[in-house]
Amino acid sequence: MPSESPPLHNRIAMLRVERGISRRELAEALGVHYQTVGYLERGEYSPSLVLALQIAEFFAVPVETVFSRRPFPPLGG
Amino acid sequence: MPSESPPLHNRIAMLRVERGISRRELAEALGVHYQTVGYLERGEYSPSLVLALQIAEFFAVPVETVFSRRPFPPLGG
DNA sequence: GATCAATGTAGTAGACGTACTACATTTCGT
DNA sequence: ACGAAATGTAGTACGTCTACTACATTGATC
């Protein structure tokens, strides 16, 4: 199992569901394996910077909107 | 030698020199080996996302200001 | 309740990122 | 010209990222 180094938080699942697409569809759009998206969403490991840039670009948001070293505040603040 | 996958461009050297600090100093501030900074500046490989976030945070700029999959336009445009 | 899509789990394998050591080269102050 | 600091090059080692295959689980639909 992929271990836990510095924990990284992300909003991939949120953004993806917001767009109404499946993991497989996102994976295809990104050109990665669909399991890779699963691993990322579950936070089992951090993506490479290149993949992170692709993801942010796909969702048309800054990298910091998708990934953060600090936990994201809940939407219902 | 680290190979060349999808080429990634960065402005680490620029930002660092702008701050007037050495690679060793930057490396210490980031908590990485000073050779790692050298590799990154020369574009020999891309940093992990976590390191990229640290670097952007250190320079107080968005990740996209430091790293890009497209070449940065020359300052003297 | 059988089926299908979406997601989770498990395991192998290869490429990449980082640490680290050592030495060469360049640059700069004096 | 000398020494010191900064940078570049070379090589090893190890952990993480990603691909991929296969199977289990869940949820919806018929």
Side-chain angles (χ1 to χ4, degrees):
Chain A
M1 67 217 73
S3 67
E4 29 141 352
S5 328
L8 189 72
H9 306 84
N10 77 77
R11 284 172 168 153
I12 298 176
M14 246 182 97
L15 289 160
R16 178 177 59 77
V17 170
E18 206 175 37
R19 303 302 198 274
I21 63 177
S22 72
R23 284 189 189 160
R24 279 189 153 85
E25 289 169 319
L26 175 57
E28 277 176 24
L30 297 171
V32 299
H33 195 91
Y34 74 98
Q35 292 295 42
T36 297
V37 174
Y39 290 138
L40 296 180
E41 287 195 356
R42 278 176 246 123
E44 293 188 20
Y45 53 65
S46 310
S48 67
L49 174 55
V50 170
L51 181 51
L53 287 170
Q54 286 175 185
I55 294 171
E57 192 173 304
F58 176 85
F59 288 122
V61 297
V63 169
E64 286 86 350
T65 299
V66 191
F67 302 96
S68 171
R69 288 158 61 224
R70 304 231 155 251
F72 288 103
L75 206 54
Chain B
M1 66 217 77
S3 66
E4 29 139 354
S5 327
L8 189 73
H9 307 85
N10 77 77
R11 283 171 166 153
I12 298 175
M14 246 182 98
L15 288 160
R16 180 177 58 78
V17 171
E18 205 174 37
R19 301 304 197 274
I21 63 177
S22 72
R23 284 188 190 161
R24 278 188 154 85
E25 289 169 320
L26 175 56
E28 275 176 25
L30 297 171
V32 300
H33 195 90
Y34 73 98
Q35 291 295 43
T36 298
V37 175
Y39 291 138
L40 295 180
E41 288 195 356
R42 279 176 244 123
E44 292 188 20
Y45 54 64
S46 311
S48 68
L49 175 55
V50 170
L51 182 51
L53 287 169
Q54 285 176 188
I55 294 171
E57 192 172 304
F58 176 84
F59 289 121
V61 296
V63 170
E64 286 86 351
T65 298
V66 192
F67 301 96
S68 170
R69 289 159 61 222
R70 304 229 155 251
F72 288 103
L75 207 54

